[in-house]
Amino acid sequence: MNRELLRIWDNEHFWHPFTQMQVYSQEDNLIFERGEGVYLYDIEGRKYIDAISSLWCNVHGHNHPHINRAIIEQLSKVAHTTTLGSSNIPAIMLSKKLCEIAPEGLTKVFYSEDGSEAVEVAIKMAYQYWKHKGEDRRGFISFDGAYHGDTLGAVSVGGIGLFHEAFRDLIFKVHRLPSPYLFCKENKLEDSKCVDVLVELLRRVIEESQEGIVATIMEGGIQGAAGMLPYPKGLLKKVSDLCKEKNVLLIVDEVATGFGRTGSMFYCEQESVSPDFLCLGKGLSGGYLPLAATLTKDEVFEAFLGEFGQKRQFYHGHTYTGNNLGCAAALASLEVFEKENTLSYLPEKIEFLKELLKELSGLKYVWDIRRLGFMAGIELRQEGGEAFDYGMRVGFKVARACRDMGVFLRPLGDTMVIMLPLCADKEHIHETVHTLKLAIENLSI
């Protein structure tokens, strides 16, 4: 394929997500052609460490033979069959497997294609659940800085103005608590005290609500898109306990944090929490195919049961819900976790990353370093602590310098995100952090 034609057609016809296309068309952007392990190769043949797991979804590396084989085997049978009123073997087997590895009590699986849809499903199920229980509840509780996707329900419970403000007239109102990490830092509170204060704020919102609270929604241990802002330890557990006490449903969004990113299969395990809804995506298929899932409990499922004429069924679905190929890839990915003992090797890698990140702390523009498990964010600011002007694109300048040295990163504003595939070894981790260090040291403002 002619490389110059590809670039022309890319600029003329392909509208990219979260991208200012006027700027994009003026730059020399990467066009990837293939991948192998932690590496991506562009159409020029240049090699890059995929230091963001292709937007946080690749788990075991690119072109993994076991997952490839599973997809090919399924493709030789059938690529897709509808699950509206029928089923397929991979979707059934994956449902069973997810319920086995998820927190206890999550026994039902509803499929969709991406994390935003998984959250949308949870929001609608939770709302309709209370309708079926004879209660007209309408309130949701979320956090400032939350990101749960880009469909309108997910935007409603999101809390990032840059992404969501343009759609405020289209969405439902939500009770918002302060972003936990920023609240703790601004008020100089230790984790345990901060948790108590935040939970008391949550209690007040629930008790004072006039419309009745449907559910509280929060991410799994860290606010990812807000710039990698970890929750104070214990917050999820205390929120879960309060929601149970007050008979409010809990939705935990582990789209970004699920499948090993925080050191365990799901972050919920670390705080012994079994939510009413668990939203999964990104790494579910190993980073191979669009697939998401919303897991819930028998009590929720049973509220939707009834005679056909009662119209209690969940009127929601997608053409590719429970897609055969996607589910086959996900099953294979979970098999790789077991065959390669992926989680058992993570603590050593996480500790190595933690130690390496300390080397960045004294750099001129490094304002804050945040990490949870194998996920990290390095926030860049001016020397006095003021944020850089958004239009300066400082994060993108650093990412471009890293790219020129063979490491592919995409920042969140001026926060540099490191989220390597779980298969990355110490050499890959070291090269990524060292490259980022050089890029920051050589940053010219």
Side-chain angles (χ1 to χ4, degrees), residues 164-172:
H164 304 143
E165 192 59 40
F167 308 105
R168 285 299 169 204
D169 292 341
L170 298 177
I171 61 179
F172 57 81

Side-chain angles (χ1 to χ4, degrees), residues 304-313 315:
F304 289 79
L305 300 180
E307 297 300 323
F308 189 86
Q310 292 179 283
K311 303 177 183 177
R312 295 176 70 89
Q313 50 264 55
Y315 286 104

Side-chain angles (χ1 to χ4, degrees), residues 6-229:
L6 280 173
R7 297 191 184 283
I8 290 169
W9 294 339
D10 186 28
N11 289 328
E12 288 186 351
H13 304 297
F14 187 178
W15 191 344
H16 292 254
F18 286 89
T19 300
Q20 175 46 256
M21 295 306 296
Q22 179 172 304
V23 175
Y24 180 90
S25 65
Q26 298 167 358
E27 297 181 335
D28 177 26
N29 297 290
L30 295 176
I31 300 176
F32 291 119
E33 185 172 27
R34 64 187 182 91
E36 190 71 36
V38 300
Y39 293 103
L40 291 169
Y41 296 80
D42 69 11
I43 57 175
E44 309 293 339
R46 295 173 297 203
K47 181 172 75 170
Y48 309 86
I49 291 178
D50 184 0
I52 54 163
S53 299
S54 290
L55 205 59
W56 315 356
C57 68
N58 189 276
V59 177
H60 308 292
H62 299 280
N63 223 350
H64 194 287
H66 185 73
I67 304 176
N68 286 2
R69 189 161 50 249
I71 294 172
I72 292 168
E73 288 175 2
Q74 181 58 44
L75 187 58
S76 69
K77 298 173 184 176
V78 63
H80 176 68
T81 58
T82 182
T83 56
L84 277 70
S86 60
S87 199
N88 68 67
I89 295 171
I92 294 169
M93 298 303 293
L94 179 59
S95 299
K96 180 177 183 296
K97 185 64 177 177
L98 288 174
C99 292
E100 289 173 352
I101 66 174
E104 186 177 359
L106 293 166
T107 57
K108 306 297 180 186
V109 179
F110 193 98
Y111 292 111
S112 53
E113 284 78 66
D114 60 50
S116 179
E117 292 172 15
V119 169
E120 202 83 13
V121 166
I123 289 170
K124 292 176 71 175
M125 273 187 183
Y127 178 78
Q128 193 173 346
Y129 166 81
W130 290 115
K131 289 285 188 184
H132 290 330
K133 299 288 283 186
E135 297 189 35
D136 185 22
R137 301 192 185 192
R138 302 190 180 188
F140 285 82
I141 301 173
S142 183
F143 291 86
D144 286 336
Y147 178 80
H148 298 289
D150 300 312
T151 53
L152 285 178
V155 168
S156 296
V157 294
I160 300 179
L162 181 64
F163 300 160
H164 304 143
E165 192 59 40
F167 308 105
R168 285 299 169 204
D169 292 341
L170 298 177
I171 61 179
F172 57 81
K173 292 183 179 179
V174 171
H175 302 278
R176 297 188 194 283
L177 298 178
S179 173
Y181 180 87
L182 298 179
F183 181 79
C184 295
K185 191 168 186 178
E186 289 165 4
N187 290 281
K188 299 179 181 178
L189 297 172
E190 294 190 1
D191 279 7
S192 59
K193 177 62 176 177
C194 189
V195 166
D196 289 341
V197 174
L198 286 167
V199 171
E200 199 53 42
L201 290 174
L202 175 62
R203 179 186 296 276
R204 192 181 309 162
V205 171
I206 293 172
E207 292 177 347
E208 295 178 1
S209 168
Q210 298 298 307
E211 74 272 58
I213 300 300
V214 173
T216 299
I217 181 169
M218 58 195 302
E219 289 156 88
I222 187 170
Q223 292 187 315
M228 295 292 152
L229 306 179

